[in-house]
DNA sequence: CAAACGTGGCT
DNA sequence: TAGCCAAGTTT
C-alpha cells in the first residue's frame, strides 16, 4: 500500500465496502449533483453526437469513443452518420463499406460487433434499440459501460456508465485506492455511482462525470482550482489528488519482424490479401507479408520461399523501399518492405481460396487497410513516383 | 482473470 | 525517446 494512503485504509486487507460507505457518507449528495450538473449544462462541449438523443447515434458514438479520443472520433462520426443516417441504413450496409467507415480508427472488432448487433436490433426489436439492461447487454460489443451510457443518455435511465474518466474522477472525490486496471474494481465504482446518481437527470449526471474527467479532472495535472466539485473532493482536501487513481503498470510490447511486398503485374495491378476473420486486424486487406520466426535467413529469400509455399507461385523481390515500425497496444511490427513481381500467374482457385485479389491503384481505395499497410503504400508511391 | 485488440497525441 | 494515455469488450 502506498504510504500516502495509509490514513485512508481502515484495514490493510478487505473492507473496501466499508471504506466506500464511509466516503459516501461524507458527500452532500444533493449539493454534489447540482454543482456537477450545473457545470455540465454551462460548460459542455458541442459535439455532433449531442445534437439529439437518437439511441442509434448515441450507440455509434459510444462504440467509437471506446479507448479513442474525442478529437479523433468527430470526423469519423460525422462521415459514419452521412453514410448510414439510420439504424436500418447501417444494418443493410455490406461488410466492405462498414470496415472502410472504420479504417484508421482501430479496434476493428468494434465495427463488426456493432454491425452484428444492429442487424439483431433490426430483426428482433423492429429496429428499436432496447431500453432494458438485460436486453441491451446481450448485444455484441455492448459491455457494462456502453449499456449504461446508452440507457442513461438516450433513455434517461439511472444506470451507471463507468469508464476511465469516471473511475479517475470518483477515485479522487471518494479517495478510492483500488487498482483501476483490475476488472473487479469497476464494480466498486458502479456501486458509488448508484449511490450518487441523479434520478432527475441521469443523462447529465453521467456525462458530467466524464466531461469533468476530460476537461478538469485530468490524469496528469488536474485543474482543481477550476473544479465545480472541488468542495466535495476528499482527495483535494488531503492534497493527494495527483496520486490517484492507482493503476498498475502495463506490460511492454514485443517486437515482431515482418517482411512485406508490393507486387505489381503487367497490367499495373497490385496484389492484396484479405486477413483472417479472426484476430488482429480481422477482415482488413493488406499487402502480402510474413512474420519472420527465424531471424537467421535473408528476408528476401524468406519471403520468396513463404510465398511459393502459400500460393504455389514463384515471386521475385527486387529492392527494399522502406523499413518502418508500427506500434500496436501489445506488439510492434518491424516491417521491411520490398518491391517485386511474379514469374508466373497464381492459379484462379488459389486466388479465391487464399483471399487474394489484383486491384488497380484506383480500386485500392475501396478496400480498408490497417494504418501500417497504408504507410507501406504511401512509401511505395513516394519511392516509385506513380502517374 | 490476464491478455488480445489499434491508433495518434502528449510528455 | 519510450512510455503513458483515451468515453472498453471479448475470450
Amino acid at each position: 500500500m502506498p504510504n500516502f494512503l495509509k490514513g485512508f485504509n481502515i484495514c490493510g486487507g478487505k473492507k473496501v465496502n466499508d471504506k466506500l460507505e464511509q466516503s459516501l457518507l461524507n458527500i452532500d449528495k444533493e449539493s454534489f449533483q447540482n454543482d456537477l450538473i450545473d457545470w455540465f449544462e454551462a460548460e459542455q462541449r458541442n459535439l455532433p453526437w449531442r445534437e439529439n438523443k437518437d439511441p442509434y447515434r448515441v450507440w455509434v458514438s459510444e462504440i467509437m469513443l471506446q479507448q479513442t479520443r474525442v478529437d479523433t472520433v468527430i470526423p469519423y462520426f460525422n462521415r459514419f452518420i452521412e453514410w448510414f443516417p439510420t439504424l436500418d441504413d447501417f444494418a443493410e450496409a455490406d461488410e466492405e463499406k462498414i470496415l472502410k467507415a472504420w479504417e484508421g480508427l482501430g479496434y476493428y472488432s468494434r465495427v463488426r460487433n456493432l454491425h452484428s448487433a444492429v442487424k439483431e436490433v433490426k430483426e428482433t426489436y423492429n429496429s428499436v434499440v432496447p431500453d432494458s439492461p438485460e436486453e441491451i447487454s446481450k448485444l455484441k460489443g455492448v459491455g457494462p459501460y456502453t449499456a449504461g451510457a446508452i440507457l442513461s443518455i438516450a433513455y434517461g435511465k439511472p444506470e451507471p456508465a463507468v469508464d476511465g474518466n469516471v473511475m479517475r474522477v470518483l477515485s479522487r472525490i471518494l479517495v478510492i485506492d483500488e487498482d483501476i486496471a483490475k476488472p473487479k474494481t469497476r464494480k466498486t465504482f458502479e456501486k458509488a455511482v448508484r449511490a450518487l446518481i441523479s434520478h432527475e437527470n441521469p443523462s447529465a449526471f453521467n456525462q458530467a462525470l466524464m466531461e469533468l474527467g476530460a476537461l478538469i479532472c485530468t490524469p496528469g495535472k488536474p485543474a482543481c482550482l477550476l473544479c465545480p466539485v472541488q468542495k466535495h473532493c476528499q482527495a483535494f482536501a488531503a492534497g493527494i489528488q495527483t496520486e490517484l487513481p492507482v493503476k498498475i503498470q502495463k506490460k511492454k510490447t514485443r517486437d515482431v519482424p515482418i517482411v512485406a511486398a508490393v507486387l505489381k503485374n503487367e497490367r499495373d495491378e497490385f496484389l492484396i490479401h484479405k486477413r483472417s476473420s479472426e484476430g488482429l486486424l480481422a477482415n482488413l486487406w493488406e499487402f502480402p507479408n510474413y512474420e519472420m520466426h527465424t531471424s537467421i535467413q535473408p528476408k528476401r529469400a524468406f519471403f520468396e520461399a513463404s510465398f511459393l509455399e502459400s500460393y504455389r507461385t514463384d515471386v521475385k523481390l527486387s529492392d527494399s523501399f522502406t523499413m518502418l515500425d508500427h506500434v500496436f497496444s501489445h506488439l510492434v511490427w518491424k516491417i521491411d518492405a520490398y518491391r517485386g513481381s511474379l514469374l508466373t500467374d497464381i492459379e484462379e482457385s488459389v486466388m479465391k481460396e487464399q483471399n487474394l485479389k489484383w486491384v488497380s491503384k484506383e480500386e485500392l481505395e475501396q478496400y480498408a487497410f490497417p494504418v501500417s499497410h497504408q504507410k507501406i503504400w504511401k512509401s511505395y508511391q513516394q519511392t516509385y513516383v506513380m502517374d
Side-chain angles (χ1 to χ4, degrees), chain A residues 17 50 77 99 124 181 198 215 267 286:
Chain A
N17 264 334
R50 287 179 175 162
F77 178 82
L99 284 172
T124 307
S198 161
L215 301 180
R267 302 194 316 193
E286 66 184 3

Side-chain angles (χ1 to χ4, degrees), chain A residues 53-172:
Chain A
K53 291 181 176 298
D54 177 358
Y56 163 68
R57 291 170 54 110
V58 172
W59 186 4
V60 170
S61 73
E62 291 302 340
I63 299 297
M64 282 190 174
L65 286 162
Q66 289 169 7
Q67 302 289 284
T68 311
R69 287 188 157 71
V70 165
D71 288 344
T72 302
V73 167
I74 290 173
Y76 280 92
F77 178 82
N78 286 331
R79 189 181 63 171
F80 193 98
I81 295 300
E82 278 175 31
W83 287 6
F84 320 112
T86 69
L87 186 145
D88 284 347
D89 292 323
F90 183 61
E92 291 157 12
D94 61 56
E95 157 121 316
E96 211 62 68
K97 189 76 182 284
I98 69 156
L99 284 172
K100 194 65 188 174
W102 216 265
E103 184 184 43
L105 251 192
Y107 289 140
Y108 299 94
S109 67
R110 289 184 293 175
V111 74
R112 291 184 296 115
N113 288 153
L114 180 62
H115 197 214
S116 162
V118 159
K119 285 194 280 193
E120 169 81 8
V121 169
K122 179 173 155 67
E123 302 306 317
T124 307
Y125 300 104
N126 193 28
S127 297
V128 179
V129 179
D131 67 349
S132 76
E134 295 73 25
E135 290 176 317
I136 203 168
S137 296
K138 285 181 191 157
L139 299 171
K140 279 181 195 154
V142 179
Y145 164 75
T146 306
I150 297 173
L151 291 171
S152 61
I153 297 171
Y155 292 119
K157 310 264 184 184
E159 291 291 321
V162 175
D163 71 341
N165 285 128
V166 172
M167 290 198 280
R168 182 173 59 258
V169 169
L170 290 184
S171 74
R172 287 169 176 164

Side-chain angles (χ1 to χ4, degrees), chain A residues 20 97 176 192 214 229 283 298 310:
Chain A
L20 177 59
K97 189 76 182 284
I176 296 171
V229 292
N283 289 350
S310 303

Side-chain angles (χ1 to χ4, degrees), chain A residues 28 33 43 95 121 129 184 203 277 322 362 380:
Chain A
D28 180 339
Q33 291 174 173
E43 304 292 338
E95 157 121 316
V121 169
V129 179
K184 80 178 281 196
S203 169
S277 60
T322 190
E362 291 73 26
Y380 178 88

Side-chain angles (χ1 to χ4, degrees), chain A residues 299-316:
Chain A
K299 293 173 181 173
R300 211 182 313 242
F302 176 79
F303 182 98
E304 290 168 352
S306 302
F307 193 92
L308 177 59
E309 186 178 356
S310 303
Y311 309 134
R312 290 179 287 161
T313 305
D314 284 305
V315 62
K316 185 64 185 171

Side-chain angles (χ1 to χ4, degrees), chain A residues 168-379:
Chain A
R168 182 173 59 258
V169 169
L170 290 184
S171 74
R172 287 169 176 164
I173 290 174
L174 300 169
V175 187
I176 296 171
D177 64 341
E178 290 181 69
D179 178 2
I180 66 167
K182 293 218 180 307
K184 80 178 281 196
T185 302
R186 197 197 68 250
K187 300 185 197 307
T188 301
F189 288 93
E190 286 177 344
K191 201 172 298 180
V193 172
R194 286 190 191 284
L196 294 173
I197 194 169
S198 161
H199 284 245
E200 191 182 313
N201 197 343
S203 169
F205 183 89
N206 278 344
Q207 291 187 78
L209 239 29
M210 293 187 274
E211 196 81 342
L212 189 67
L215 301 180
I216 306 286
C217 196
T218 52
K221 301 180 172 81
C224 299
L225 299 185
L226 300 175
C227 183
V229 292
Q230 186 203 91
K231 67 168 179 283
H232 303 96
C233 186
Q234 297 171 38
F236 180 79
I240 58 173
Q241 66 275 185
T242 57
E243 314 296 331
L244 293 166
V246 172
K247 190 177 185 180
I248 56 118
Q249 226 189 317
K250 275 182 283 187
K251 279 181 53 182
K252 279 172 51 177
T253 59
R254 67 174 219 279
D255 289 357
V256 176
I258 299 282
V259 201
V262 174
L263 305 174
K264 191 167 73 167
N265 65 15
E266 54 289 330
R267 302 194 316 193
D268 283 349
E269 293 169 327
F270 299 92
L271 188 62
I272 61 175
H273 167 251
K274 188 176 188 174
R275 294 177 61 88
S276 151
S277 60
E278 291 177 0
L280 186 64
L281 306 168
N283 289 350
L284 295 201
W285 292 81
E286 66 184 3
F287 297 105
N289 67 91
Y290 299 95
E291 176 178 343
M292 298 273 297
H293 291 99
T294 105
S295 52
I296 314 275
Q297 50 196 312
K299 293 173 181 173
R300 211 182 313 242
F302 176 79
F303 182 98
E304 290 168 352
S306 302
F307 193 92
L308 177 59
E309 186 178 356
S310 303
Y311 309 134
R312 290 179 287 161
T313 305
D314 284 305
V315 62
K316 185 64 185 171
L317 299 189
S318 51
D319 38 318
S320 161
F321 63 86
T322 190
M323 291 176 58
L324 58 91
D325 292 355
H326 187 78
V327 181
F328 294 88
S329 43
H330 56 307
L331 52 84
V332 180
W333 275 355
K334 317 284 283 190
I335 302 173
D336 201 342
Y338 292 80
R339 181 165 68 147
S341 55
L342 302 190
L343 304 186
T344 59
D345 286 341
I346 302 173
E347 282 177 44
E348 203 51 46
S349 60
V350 174
M351 290 289 292
K352 194 157 209 155
E353 290 160 15
Q354 303 290 329
N355 297 312
L356 295 170
K357 200 170 282 196
W358 287 106
V359 295
S360 69
K361 190 179 71 160
E362 291 73 26
E363 288 171 326
L364 211 54
E365 292 166 25
Q366 305 172 148
Y367 298 88
F369 286 80
V371 169
S372 48
H373 284 255
Q374 292 174 30
K375 289 181 189 169
I376 292 173
W377 179 242
K378 185 177 177 186
S379 176

